[in-house]
Amino acid sequence: MPAGATVPRLAVAVSGGIDSIALLHCTARLCAAAGAQVHALHVHHGLHADADAWMDQVAAQCRRWARAGRPVQFHGHRITERPAPGDSVEAWARSVRYDALAALAQQAGCGLVLLAQHRRDQAETVLLQALRGAGPAGLAAMPRQFQRGGLTWLRPWLDQPRVAIEAYARRWRLSFVQDPANADDRFARSRLRQRLWPQLQALFPDAETALSAVARRAQEVRALVDEVAAADAARAGDAQGLNVPVWLALSAARRAALLRHWLRLSLPGAVPETLVQRLLLELPSARAAHWPAPGAGLWRHGDHLCAVPPREPVQAEARAIDLVRPGVHALSPWPGAIRVEAVATGGVPVVDLQGAQLRLRQGGERFQRHAAGPPRSLKKQFQDLDVPAWQRDVPIVEAQGRLVFVPGLGTDARALARPGSPRVRLHWQP
């Protein structure tokens, strides 16, 4: 390698089991010849009494290989938090593991992380997803390559049979740890691996190959569905949300695909299939409805399905607000602001804004939009102006015992009609 050239780096996720140790060994052998550096990333979950010993064993193995000339460097991370009550331990461990691996890889300057899953793992994942009622996205199981956290993740052995990896470990006399969780019946994958798989393989020797083929075909189907859904989203999605009439014009299969696609883009977390099925059933006939969703609320407003971030209702006492001075005045603790603009005509007399207050709606308030129209309830006025339901939880401005301004509706016509000078105009900034 030329002097001053940067040494290529890549990372291998290493639990200490046979698969990851074999992958680390093989990668180190190849990188030694290529002049690249290998960074072994180990995550200590703290879920087993032997976890300290496993970390020590992997670290010691990396030191031995480094002394023998293998370009291996060890990086370990201990997870200090614990799963919340009711959480799936498997799902929690997987989530924190990927976060920790990404942090370790970035600290080591690696843009590529190798994972040791093989063909048997892929076949097991297909079976588990099928038993959970998954569609093409679930049956696609594990991708060979994906992007996450600014890194490329690669499973180079996804088409390799487990027996080949075991043979490699025997050939090089590799030592590895045995995780008792692999035989723990509390975990679905362990039950499948210990009880079902031996019988399945005895009856269907090609099960591993066949199920891996299912994953490949499901990946093709998923890619096609995603392409069609993205094209439909370009027509049915806009800044307001999902256009329901355009969505309804699609076939049933494309409606379902587009809805799942739009929800994935609009919600911060995983989309429950129960929510998808409920929307498919209820959305076509809904006119003004609300559906709770992970990390957001879904609202049908007019022709659109909208995803609205959650907002805690404000419980606050009335407070003074200075609307005499031009400028932008925050509505804290409510979101948004009121901009005050000095005007020569129109607007509200400054004298009428002395002692202005912000307060919560209490019910019974009446607002007059036009000089020629009668005062009506705030609910009716919001409906007439088609203000979405989630934007109606706003404070009102009162001064001298009179309603002056309502965010989303504007200035009460009775305040505009009062004589006086100088004057200001009020504008709401959401």
Side-chain angles (χ1 to χ4, degrees), residues 182-202:
N182 291 331
D184 191 334
D185 274 2
R186 291 177 299 171
F187 304 124
R189 187 177 290 272
S190 297
R191 292 195 300 273
L192 185 151
R193 186 172 291 167
Q194 299 298 319
R195 298 187 183 188
L196 178 59
W197 190 262
Q199 297 181 46
L200 182 64
Q201 194 167 37

Side-chain angles (χ1 to χ4, degrees), residues 132-327:
R132 292 165 183 158
L139 295 178
M142 296 180 287
R144 174 180 298 279
Q145 181 173 319
F146 62 99
Q147 303 293 319
R148 177 172 173 168
L151 302 169
T152 298
W153 304 74
L154 179 66
R155 297 182 173 99
W157 284 357
L158 202 57
D159 289 331
Q160 291 294 325
R162 179 175 177 80
V163 292
I165 296 170
E166 292 171 341
Y168 181 93
R170 288 193 300 271
R171 161 68 179 81
W172 292 97
R173 299 179 182 178
L174 301 179
S175 59
F176 48 88
V177 303
Q178 296 283 358
D179 186 351
N182 291 331
D184 191 334
D185 274 2
R186 291 177 299 171
F187 304 124
R189 187 177 290 272
S190 297
R191 292 195 300 273
L192 185 151
R193 186 172 291 167
Q194 299 298 319
R195 298 187 183 188
L196 178 59
W197 190 262
Q199 297 181 46
L200 182 64
Q201 194 167 37
L203 295 171
F204 301 94
D206 292 333
E208 187 177 303
T209 303
L211 290 168
S212 293
V214 170
R216 286 194 298 273
R217 293 178 182 177
Q219 288 167 4
E220 294 173 358
V221 172
R222 180 184 183 182
L224 178 59
V225 169
D226 287 346
E227 285 181 19
V228 173
D232 287 339
R235 293 188 293 272
D238 54 39
Q240 293 178 268
L242 180 66
N243 188 300
V244 177
V246 176
W247 176 73
L248 286 172
L250 300 172
S251 67
R254 288 172 69 173
R255 282 202 300 271
L258 173 54
L259 184 60
R260 291 188 180 94
H261 176 85
W262 184 84
L263 289 172
R264 284 199 303 271
L265 296 179
S266 303
L267 299 179
V271 179
E273 183 61 19
T274 51
L275 175 62
V276 175
Q277 294 303 320
R278 183 179 175 188
L279 287 169
L280 289 172
L281 179 65
E282 299 175 6
L283 184 57
S285 59
R287 287 296 171 264
H290 172 244
W291 297 269
L298 298 175
W299 295 79
R300 170 73 188 267
H301 179 72
D303 285 342
H304 286 83
L305 177 66
C306 310
V308 182
R311 194 181 80 194
E312 291 294 326
V314 176
Q315 302 293 334
E317 299 293 331
R319 73 166 182 86
I321 182 169
D322 179 6
L323 298 179
V324 173
R325 295 179 299 105

Side-chain angles (χ1 to χ4, degrees), residues 324-346:
V324 173
R325 295 179 299 105
V328 177
H329 303 273
L331 302 186
S332 178
W334 295 275
I338 295 177
R339 180 167 57 86
V340 179
E341 173 190 11
V343 293
T345 59

Side-chain angles (χ1 to χ4, degrees), residues 314-316 318 334 358-362 365 393-396:
V314 176
Q315 302 293 334
W334 295 275
L358 278 175
R359 70 165 176 83
L360 289 168
R361 293 167 54 187
Q362 297 173 349
E365 296 92 354
D393 183 21
V394 292
I396 63 174

